[in-house]
Amino acid sequence: MTQASSNAQLEEVLLKVVDLPVLPATAQRVLALMADTDVSIEKVKRIISSDPALAAKILKIANSAFYGGCRNIQNLAQAILRLGLNSVRNIVVAASLRNVYKRFGLAEKLLWETLIGSAIASSIIARHTRIVDQEDAFIGGLLHDIGKVILNNEYPDKFAKVMEKVYNESAGFSQAEKEVFDFTHREVGALAVKKWGFPENIEHLIRHFDDFEFVSKERWLYNHVTI
């Protein structure tokens, strides 16, 4: 495949990503608010209050054994205060990410379990090693393979061929993707999170995840990839 045709196909994927209702309006508004230096608990509370299901989920998590204190919380503002703004952001993103999937068969279930498992494991490792922020580690683990989800959504037959090469021919994922698509899920994932409004460091984490030479030049990236 020529470079021009490869770029054209990648552009086609990105157009699909742009058109997808990937993150609900509430999640988009929370992400936009988190990018504001003037963010406050009251502002976040007002947005989340517009989504009763999400508000109930945050209250439930705030009262879980993992975060629970001696006092049961019934108030959303107190729940946000107990969890912290970054934890709330991550809960909102994780709850919304399920909407990325156009279908939910076995392949989608495996991808979903990988993302959630990576997020939880990264958070636990970060908490014990303290080399990165625990909440940043969670969001990095949650999003690092999001490009696979998008490719599987839009090109399930082609993505199945990639999986066959990986599991039946012992090919590396990037190698198999380049043979089938001529680009990798890293490129797709990085461009997607940029479109969704995530910080540039998350975009770099996804794009350069497998590039040790690049990652080793920047301590933040190196530590997060290591986690």
Side-chain angles (χ1 to χ4, degrees):
M1 184 180 291
T2 66
Q3 184 64 39
S5 59
S6 173
N7 290 340
Q9 190 175 15
L10 182 55
E11 182 65 25
E12 180 187 340
V13 174
L14 294 180
L15 287 173
K16 290 177 179 290
V17 172
V18 169
D19 291 337
L20 283 174
V22 176
L23 296 180
T26 301
Q28 293 177 14
R29 291 168 66 196
V30 168
L31 285 173
L33 193 58
M34 292 299 186
D36 186 350
T37 55
D38 192 33
V39 63
S40 68
I41 288 176
E42 182 60 30
K43 289 180 180 179
V44 175
K45 187 197 80 171
R46 282 202 299 268
I47 292 174
I48 293 174
S49 295
S50 67
D51 187 331
L54 184 58
K57 185 180 292 290
I58 286 173
L59 279 168
K60 181 178 179 180
I61 293 173
N63 284 306
S64 68
F66 186 81
Y67 287 102
C70 58
R71 183 166 59 93
N72 190 50
I73 285 178
Q74 301 294 329
N75 180 285
L76 185 58
Q78 292 176 348
I80 295 170
L81 184 62
R82 174 178 286 182
L83 294 170
L85 289 174
N86 283 340
S87 289
V88 170
R89 174 202 64 183
N90 292 348
I91 293 166
V92 170
V93 172
S96 302
L97 208 57
R98 180 65 175 76
N99 292 347
V100 173
Y101 295 86
K102 288 187 172 180
R103 65 196 75 81
F104 207 76
L106 178 59
E108 291 75 26
K109 181 174 182 290
L110 291 173
L111 286 170
W112 175 246
E113 289 175 349
T114 297
L115 296 183
I116 291 296
S118 294
I120 294 171
S122 296
S123 177
I124 292 170
I125 294 169
R127 187 174 67 208
H128 286 284
T129 61
R130 299 183 179 180
I131 64 171
V132 301
D133 179 81
Q134 182 177 343
E135 301 303 336
D136 284 349
F138 181 94
I139 207 71
L142 186 69
L143 296 173
H144 81 289
D145 272 350
I146 192 64
K148 291 181 180 178
V149 175
I150 295 169
L151 289 177
N152 180 61
N153 269 348
E154 303 305 327
Y155 304 97
D157 293 339
K158 283 188 172 183
F159 191 75
K161 291 180 180 178
V162 171
M163 299 291 280
E164 287 175 10
K165 287 180 177 292
V166 171
Y167 291 105
N168 296 337
E169 302 175 19
S170 299
F173 226 104
S174 294
Q175 175 192 339
E177 286 176 324
K178 286 180 179 178
E179 290 177 8
V180 176
F181 290 105
D182 208 37
F183 52 80
T184 72
H185 71 280
R186 298 289 177 216
E187 296 170 79
V188 174
L191 292 167
V193 297
K194 180 180 181 180
K195 177 64 183 178
W196 299 339
F198 285 92
E200 188 177 52
N201 55 6
I202 298 295
E203 177 193 345
H204 285 173
L205 173 68
I206 296 172
R207 184 183 298 279
H208 302 290
F209 193 86
D210 302 314
D211 185 349
F212 179 77
E213 183 177 352
F214 183 95
V215 165
S216 61
K217 295 176 182 178
E218 187 177 332
R219 176 56 58 182
W220 187 95
L221 275 178
Y222 179 81
N223 286 346
H224 279 77
V225 170
T226 300
I227 290 290

